[in-house]
Amino acid sequence: MFDFEMLGLAPALNDALSRIGFSQPTPIQNQAVPLALEGHDVLGLAQTGTGKTLAFGLPLVDHLLAEPGRPAPKTSKALILAPTRELVNQIADSLRTLTEDTKLRVTTVVGGQSINRQINALARGTDILVATPGRLIDLMDRRDVDLGQVRHLVLDEADQMLDLGFIHALRKIAARLGTPRQTMLFSATMPKQMEELSRAYLTNPRRVQVAPPGKAADKITQSVLFMDKPAKPGRLREILSRDLDALTLVFARTKHGAEKLMKGLVADGYNAASIHGNKSQGQRDRAIKAFRDGTVKVLVATDVAARGIDIPDVAYVINYDLPAVPDNYVHRIGRTARAGREGEAIAFCAPDEADLLRQIQKLMKVEIPVAGGTSPLAGDADGADRRQGRPGGRNRKPGGGAAGKPAAPGRSRRRRSRGRKAA
């Protein structure tokens, strides 16, 4: 199949796709949408930034358009669960674009916002409820939502929900859902625990996998810089200063570390903001909007943002601290090179993070090219010839460039030709 019209979607959906400029489905959409339209449960595995939201959103909206009747008060016909507030809002925005010219209603339920406002919205009933598990449980306990009419369930980024300890909440929610129902589970990684989850929630699912779990998008150029921890602040500023107009996402491991790093950058004159768990929802929304608009150029974040930022113009992802969970590295760097664009991911690795890097490379089945410093990993002391490899066929000449000079990370190449918007 080569265009959306060949997928057999409702005319209203084809019109919506044309309005927003989408004509050809991505590989995950091309494979998952027909199966979901037929009513199958679907287990979808694809890299971040490849269109998973439309892969489940299109067939979901198509089914609801064909179902007669308005939802009863406090009920919903479909439920989408996601691990973070940012991801919930992103999914809801995409679905509202698809349902703009229909009578379908999309409602969000997340923590950090007025629960009374959410209660009032649910009192009218909704066609699609997009929620984080924690706040949904709160509303269930208060009997302000009835999930017995749900006939479509989507678990997006289910692996992170497991990482965040939502498994008991998922079980409690599932027990309240209507049957029979269609369930779709989508993610970029497939840890063993999620396989067990899929067996518990999916019935005879069709598995759709467009890339090996843990593989980064082909258009992401990766590199790692080895350094002592005290050298990280100076190296970060050096890289940022090479292209002050680029949108750069910097990941720190802790909330305190992210805030401290952001304040230091602002004090040094960089246009930076931060998002993490200690920020209110309003603060997080404003920071992401400013970053999306280009009024903030550097966004410092913890992993709370790794699966909730869908901004096509992010040029660089810098792993200031390596994540403790290897899967999170894949999701972090997936914030760049979205929607077919190119991007660059630079990792800082201090001596005490060497094992984290080793686990990341084992997961991805690739050795990240070294752009500076000396690798402490076993067997890497004389492995320069192996460092030239780039994932996804983006190999460079040995040494990274002309005259055998080392490849310098970021900021001096191709980016300006992309014509990224500044506002």
Side-chain angles (χ1 to χ4, degrees), residues 104-143:
L104 297 181
R105 182 182 300 140
V106 180
T107 302
T108 59
V109 162
V110 298
Q113 294 182 353
S114 169
I115 194 170
N116 290 328
R117 190 176 303 156
Q118 294 170 1
I119 289 171
N120 291 335
L122 289 170
R124 296 175 292 165
T126 188
D127 296 282
I128 304 174
L129 177 59
V130 192
T132 52
R135 176 52 63 90
L136 184 58
I137 291 288
D138 292 340
L139 292 164
M140 290 167 53
D141 290 343
R142 296 171 60 136
R143 298 185 179 181

Side-chain angles (χ1 to χ4, degrees), residues 113-417:
Q113 294 182 353
S114 169
I115 194 170
N116 290 328
R117 190 176 303 156
Q118 294 170 1
I119 289 171
N120 291 335
L122 289 170
R124 296 175 292 165
T126 188
D127 296 282
I128 304 174
L129 177 59
V130 192
T132 52
R135 176 52 63 90
L136 184 58
I137 291 288
D138 292 340
L139 292 164
M140 290 167 53
D141 290 343
R142 296 171 60 136
R143 298 185 179 181
D144 287 311
V145 63
D146 177 3
L147 302 179
Q149 301 303 311
V150 170
R151 292 295 184 270
H152 304 276
L153 172 65
V154 177
L155 302 178
D156 193 22
E157 306 292 11
D159 56 338
Q160 192 185 32
M161 282 193 273
L162 295 177
D163 289 340
L164 295 177
F166 284 132
I167 183 62
H168 297 298
L170 291 176
R171 289 171 180 161
K172 186 173 182 179
I173 292 168
R176 303 281 189 91
L177 300 177
T179 56
R181 65 176 178 268
Q182 180 187 40
T183 301
M184 292 182 277
L185 190 155
F186 282 79
S187 186
T189 58
M190 188 68 175
K192 182 178 180 181
Q193 192 177 11
M194 201 177 85
E195 290 189 44
E196 298 171 357
L197 183 74
S198 68
R199 287 195 292 270
Y201 284 81
L202 304 177
T203 302
N204 299 320
R206 299 297 180 90
R207 179 172 174 139
V208 176
Q209 182 173 324
V210 298
K215 185 181 184 296
D218 291 342
K219 292 190 176 182
I220 301 175
T221 300
Q222 299 180 67
S223 63
V224 59
L225 291 166
F226 294 100
M227 68 192 75
D228 292 332
K229 189 167 294 185
K232 286 186 176 185
R235 196 59 190 269
L236 175 63
R237 285 155 176 78
E238 175 188 331
I239 294 173
L240 293 176
S241 297
R242 293 175 186 168
D243 191 350
L244 294 173
D245 290 330
L247 295 187
T248 302
L249 186 55
V250 180
F251 280 103
R253 188 176 300 124
T254 67
K255 294 177 285 188
H256 174 74
E259 190 69 8
K260 180 180 179 182
L261 180 57
M262 181 275 292
K263 289 181 177 178
L265 290 172
V266 170
D268 288 342
Y270 293 91
N271 191 356
S274 66
I275 59 171
H276 49 73
N278 284 346
K279 296 282 188 176
S280 70
Q281 187 60 45
Q283 289 174 317
R284 287 158 63 167
D285 291 344
R286 287 191 293 273
I288 290 177
K289 183 180 185 301
F291 189 56
R292 184 188 303 275
D293 294 343
T295 54
V296 163
K297 300 298 185 182
V298 181
L299 185 63
V300 185
T302 56
D303 283 312
V304 71
R307 313 196 190 196
I309 294 182
D310 185 10
I311 301 175
D313 289 339
V314 173
Y316 300 92
V317 171
I318 298 177
N319 280 282
Y320 187 84
D321 300 315
L322 292 181
V325 178
D327 287 340
N328 285 348
Y329 175 84
V330 179
H331 293 288
R332 286 181 178 189
I333 68 173
R335 299 309 100 193
T336 188
R338 298 181 74 81
R341 292 169 171 81
E342 296 182 340
E344 184 164 353
I346 304 166
F348 291 0
C349 184
D352 62 353
E353 296 175 298
D355 190 57
L356 297 178
L357 179 63
R358 185 181 291 108
Q359 294 177 43
I360 289 166
Q361 295 186 143
K362 180 179 179 181
L363 169 70
M364 300 179 68
K365 297 181 174 61
V366 64
E367 184 174 321
I368 301 173
V370 178
T374 302
S375 172
L377 301 184
D380 281 1
D382 58 353
D385 289 341
R386 293 182 287 113
R387 292 174 185 164
Q388 59 182 293
R390 298 262 174 184
R394 295 176 53 78
N395 290 347
R396 292 182 175 179
K397 295 179 181 180
K405 294 181 180 179
R411 312 268 158 194
S412 60
R413 51 183 191 82
R414 63 174 153 75
R415 202 64 63 195
R416 293 177 181 82
S417 64

